[in-house]
Amino acid sequence: PKVNVVNYDECIEIDAAIPGMTKDDVDVEITDGVLTIQGTSNQNRHVDDAQYLKREIKRSSFRRSFTLGDNLKADDITARFDNGILTLSIPKLVPDDAKPVTRKIEIA
């Protein structure tokens, strides 16, 4: 699939175009800080009451992995699948537009 990774102030968004697959064909997992998107499609539909003159079977699979940085909330990832596009949204712990916190240290 074609994958876009977009860096917003509040989150990272990953869009994966997965034509011909359904959300049941796709798995999203996180293991040791690595986000993996994988899918397999086997369009091997058999028709009992027909005689095939020609039959082409489309099988496809993919796997993409992304290392998650320390500034991302891996526990709060959301996913949606709409019209062949998988969209993952990964919130940031500290938004990019957050102002740095300054604290004065008194010297004794």
Side-chain angles (χ1 to χ4, degrees):
K2 294 189 180 202
V3 177
N4 294 316
V5 180
V6 183
N7 184 13
Y8 293 105
D9 286 342
E10 301 289 324
C11 70
I12 298 289
E13 196 168 274
I14 300 172
D15 294 323
I18 311 170
M21 289 191 187
T22 67
K23 68 179 187 175
D24 296 329
D25 297 327
V26 179
D27 289 316
V28 180
E29 298 177 344
I30 298 175
T31 304
D32 294 330
V34 177
L35 173 76
T36 300
I37 305 167
Q38 60 187 0
T40 303
S41 177
N42 183 3
Q43 298 173 356
N44 188 12
R45 186 176 64 96
H46 181 73
V47 179
D48 290 330
D49 61 346
Q51 180 181 8
Y52 292 100
L53 299 176
K54 180 178 181 181
R55 185 171 184 206
E56 293 182 2
I57 299 171
K58 180 182 176 190
R59 292 186 180 113
S60 59
S61 65
F62 72 93
R63 180 182 179 108
R64 301 285 189 278
S65 294
F66 305 91
T67 301
L68 300 178
D70 293 336
N71 192 34
L72 298 176
K73 296 181 185 179
D75 293 339
D76 293 338
I77 295 174
T78 59
R80 67 182 183 278
F81 193 88
D82 187 32
N83 291 325
I85 305 290
L86 172 67
T87 301
L88 301 172
S89 181
I90 311 166
K92 293 181 180 178
L93 291 169
V94 179
D96 284 347
D97 63 350
K99 300 203 182 336
V101 176
T102 303
R103 184 176 70 112
K104 185 165 174 92
I105 312 286
E106 294 295 326
I107 302 172

